Amino acid sequence: MKVLVYSDDAATRAEVIQAIGRRPAADVPFVEIVECATEPKVHQWLGSGEIDVAVLDGETQPAGGMGVSRQAKDEVYDCPPICLIIARRDDRWLAEWSKADAVVSQPLEPMVVADTVADLMRRRSSTRLNAK
């Protein structure tokens, strides 16, 4: 399954990728990571139908993950599940506004990230409209 990781910060992308690993849980497939640092590339990938799960950094500039999530959920046919990384626990209400399927808080806990992504992968496997 393809997992998109979006952040303008290379260190954040690396931290997320390391937390996910090659396979975030024994009962899910191996993952192929797609890294994005810009909003246009994220929309291109999400619109392609090839992404199974997206992890978006809410603090990315100039287009934060919250706005990208909201736009994708409104505009992308069969939008994949989205996990939003928030900087403050109090930002959960913004994550709900963004229509994110899951939320993880900074500082990232690798097991929480892996479990969250695995849950979203399971969801995607059972709900994907255009099965491969």
Side-chain angles (χ1 to χ4, degrees):
M1 297 183 89
K2 285 189 181 178
V3 176
L4 181 140
V5 178
Y6 169 59
S7 178
D8 62 345
D9 182 353
T12 299
R13 290 194 312 270
E15 188 177 4
V16 171
I17 292 166
Q18 185 175 10
I20 295 169
R22 293 197 57 210
R23 192 176 193 180
D27 65 329
V28 299
F30 287 98
V31 298
E32 177 184 339
I33 299 292
V34 175
E35 287 187 67
C36 288
T38 64
E39 178 189 18
K41 200 66 173 170
V42 172
H43 289 299
Q44 179 183 352
W45 273 106
L46 291 176
S48 75
E50 296 180 45
I51 299 299
D52 296 295
V53 173
V55 181
L56 310 178
D57 181 0
E59 299 299 308
T60 297
Q61 295 295 326
M66 292 182 203
V68 171
S69 174
R70 175 82 179 205
Q71 183 176 354
K73 289 295 187 172
D74 287 344
E75 297 177 3
V76 174
Y77 173 75
D78 192 27
C79 187
I82 294 175
C83 174
L84 192 61
I85 300 169
I86 59 174
R88 297 160 297 280
R89 292 188 190 274
D90 291 343
D91 287 342
R92 285 191 183 275
W93 72 272
L94 283 169
E96 286 185 27
W97 168 85
S98 73
K99 302 181 181 181
D101 299 279
V103 177
V104 293
S105 300
Q106 291 277 13
L108 295 177
E109 297 178 30
M111 291 300 297
V112 172
V113 173
D115 289 345
T116 302
V117 169
D119 287 343
L120 295 177
M121 289 172 70
R122 289 182 200 101
R123 182 183 313 177
R124 185 61 166 177
S125 291
S126 66
T127 62
R128 187 170 188 119
L129 295 178
N130 52 351
K132 295 178 183 174

